[in-house]
Structure formats: C-alpha cells, structure tokens
C-alpha cells in the first residue's frame, strides 16, 4: 500500500489535539505495518503505523514495545 520513498501524512493525537506532518516512507508497507518515516521539514525519523495508502499514525514507544 505504501511504497518506499512515498510521501505520507503523519498524524499524532494527544490531549484532544491532532497534529499532522508530511513525511517520506523509508520502507515498503501494508496497512497495519509499523515503518520508519522521515519528516520532510525537520528530517526527524519516527515510527508510524500505516492507516491507509496516504496516512500513518505516530507510534508511541510503549506501543512499539508490544
């Protein structure tokens, strides 16, 4: 669903707020997979869970450990 190098929208939700950023997928993935992406503006790498072919949700460290 998501190709390596594809631009995705990353969503982070906390305390009733939703923040979004644009990032580049570092690897190929399907819905439900956890992958690394790089924020286009900050160049920060983070773990996200793929929601659909254009959207991913930031994974907390606690969720990644499961």
């Amino acid at each position: 669903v998501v190709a390596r190098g594809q631009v995705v929208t990353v969503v982070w939700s906390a305390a009733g707020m939703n923040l979004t950023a644009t990032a580049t997928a570092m690897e190929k993935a399907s819905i439900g997979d956890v992958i690394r992406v790089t924020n286009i503006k900050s160049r920060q790498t983070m773990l996200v869970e793929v929601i659909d072919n254009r959207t991913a949700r930031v994974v907390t460290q606690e969720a990644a450990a499961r």
Side-chain angles (χ1 to χ4, degrees), residues 9-21 51 57-58:
T9 299
V10 175
V11 179
W12 181 69
S13 300
M17 292 188 308
N18 288 325
L19 302 174
T20 61
I51 298 171
R57 176 185 311 120
V58 174

Side-chain angles (χ1 to χ4, degrees), residues 6-60:
Q6 180 178 331
V7 174
V8 296
T9 299
V10 175
V11 179
W12 181 69
S13 300
M17 292 188 308
N18 288 325
L19 302 174
T20 61
T22 306
T24 304
M26 306 280 292
E27 48 205 288
K28 181 179 164 183
S30 298
I31 293 173
D33 288 349
V34 175
I35 62 169
R36 293 174 300 128
V37 297
T38 301
N39 182 303
I40 291 174
K41 283 190 175 180
S42 70
R43 304 263 188 232
Q44 179 181 2
T45 299
M46 61 191 92
L47 286 177
V48 298
E49 177 184 2
V50 176
I51 298 171
D52 62 33
N53 65 339
R54 292 178 284 163
T55 314
R57 176 185 311 120
V58 174
V59 176
T60 61

